[in-house]
Amino acid sequence: MIYMYYVSTYSMPTILSWRLLLRSNLLKTTFDKRRQILNLNLINIKMSTTIYKADASPPARTVLMIADLLGIKYNGYDINPILREQDTPDMTKKNPMRTIPFIEDDGFCLGDSHAIILYLLDKYGKPEHSYLYPTDKQKRATINQRLFFDCGILFPYLRTIMALTYTGRLTELSKSMIRNIESGYRMLDTYLSDSMYLADDVMTLADLSVFTTMSTLHGLVPIDSTKYPKLMNWFINMSEKEICKKINQPGAEQHVAGLNALMENNKINQKSKL
């Protein structure tokens, strides 16, 4: 792993300290030093895979869990999305979407966590990992659909909250936001009607991907076990898995705490302007 200057992505002290650096024109020097350290380390590291990430990011947590399950040795490069570190010319060339996570594998760059985990499994997966993405066509189609659900429906609910919070406009979740999240919970509860997991009777890529999104959503809008009992059971089951405890839980707690703190800060700022 590359150990670099890294601050908690979403903590208020971090945001305030970086703003002070911006005002005092010290940020460029800090970035230059960080870039030099990174370049020096990259020269000496022989690992071929780099994961550009933020531990609080749900999609990044998904990729990190899959990499761990597959036993991939990788370089970890921490990016602070609030500072838009993914917007530099070099990063934009590698990942035009300017999203987190993305990977660089033997010179091949790929963004979007869903595409990344499919690629990593295809390249590094062994027979013992086949349960994550079985060859049965119907099971695989179901997994794909759940991944598309996460990408196209569930995560966008969260992304809207994140964007409005980070730009200082959101002080609390609106009724429509909560309604959308509850709609996602309802669909997931229905998906779990015929199996213990989202696409099979064993955990697959779909569960890991959806679980990271759900870990943050549940922290903002807790799952009502009376309305969505199957979803609640699934969430508890996933929470107890060692891979989720080790990689997902710390980042999820950081993400939820950061969003709540920023919303409170936004509320104070908006009141001060009245």
Side-chain angles (χ1 to χ4, degrees):
M1 296 286 290
I2 299 175
Y3 294 95
M4 301 174 55
Y5 294 109
Y6 179 63
V7 286
S8 178
T9 305
Y10 300 109
S11 66
M12 286 308 303
T14 293
I15 296 167
L16 293 174
S17 63
W18 278 107
R19 285 177 178 170
L20 288 173
L21 283 172
L22 281 166
R23 292 193 187 101
S24 61
N25 294 319
L26 292 175
L27 187 57
K28 184 179 184 301
T29 301
T30 304
F31 280 168
D32 288 343
K33 183 181 291 185
R34 178 178 177 179
R35 191 176 295 112
Q36 290 168 12
I37 293 172
L38 173 65
N39 291 336
L40 181 62
N41 278 293
L42 287 177
I43 291 172
N44 296 318
I45 289 176
K46 297 180 180 180
M47 298 177 189
S48 62
T49 304
T50 298
I51 300 177
Y52 298 84
K53 65 182 180 67
D55 290 340
S57 161
R61 284 181 255 137
T62 299
V63 172
L64 293 173
M65 286 196 290
I66 294 301
D68 189 273
L69 287 173
L70 297 177
I72 300 171
K73 296 184 182 300
Y74 62 87
N75 307 315
Y77 184 172
D78 292 307
I79 292 178
N80 192 318
I82 293 179
L83 298 176
R84 301 304 301 175
E85 292 179 2
Q86 68 271 37
D87 291 355
T88 65
D90 182 55
M91 293 296 177
T92 302
K93 183 178 179 181
K94 294 177 179 179
N95 180 31
M97 293 194 300
R98 298 183 295 180
T99 53
I100 299 171
F102 68 96
I103 65 167
E104 191 169 4
D105 187 57
D106 289 326
F108 172 68
C109 296
L110 186 65
D112 189 284
S113 63
H114 307 87
I116 292 170
I117 60 176
L118 288 168
Y119 167 78
L120 292 178
L121 185 64
D122 188 47
K123 180 173 181 179
Y124 297 103
K126 299 178 176 62
E128 59 264 32
H129 302 125
S130 61
Y131 69 95
L132 291 168
Y133 199 54
T135 56
D136 180 90
K137 288 182 172 52
Q138 292 186 356
K139 288 183 179 181
R140 183 166 287 194
T142 302
I143 293 170
N144 290 340
Q145 189 276 326
R146 306 299 193 253
L147 291 174
F148 298 153
F149 171 81
D150 181 44
C151 178
I153 296 178
L154 195 64
F155 186 74
Y157 294 156
L158 176 57
R159 185 170 52 207
T160 298
I161 295 170
M162 292 163 59
L164 293 174
T165 301
Y166 298 154
T167 53
R169 291 176 285 172
L170 191 66
T171 59
E172 61 182 8
L173 301 190
S174 67
K175 291 181 180 179
S176 64
M177 289 175 175
I178 296 173
R179 186 166 54 248
N180 285 337
I181 293 170
E182 291 274 353
S183 175
Y185 291 176
R186 176 187 56 79
M187 286 183 271
L188 287 170
D189 196 70
T190 304
Y191 287 149
L192 290 161
S193 296
D194 298 322
S195 58
M196 185 175 178
Y197 293 91
L198 286 173
D200 202 350
D201 289 323
V202 296
M203 181 183 74
T204 67
L205 294 178
D207 297 283
L208 290 164
S209 184
V210 171
F211 181 64
T212 58
T213 304
M214 281 296 302
S215 296
T216 297
L217 287 176
H218 175 63
L220 299 173
V221 181
I223 301 166
D224 187 337
S225 60
T226 59
K227 290 183 180 178
Y228 316 109
K230 293 183 288 292
L231 179 60
M232 188 74 253
N233 288 337
W234 170 85
F235 188 85
I236 293 172
N237 185 26
M238 290 295 296
S239 298
E240 292 174 348
K241 293 189 179 297
E242 286 303 316
I243 188 69
C244 296
K245 288 180 181 179
K246 180 172 71 171
I247 295 176
N248 179 71
Q249 184 175 334
E253 291 175 353
Q254 179 188 1
H255 199 201
V256 172
L259 287 170
N260 284 328
L262 282 173
M263 280 189 269
E264 284 299 315
N265 187 69
N266 294 341
K267 190 180 299 183
I268 294 170
N269 288 340
Q270 290 185 17
K271 285 182 178 178
S272 67
K273 294 177 183 178
L274 296 177

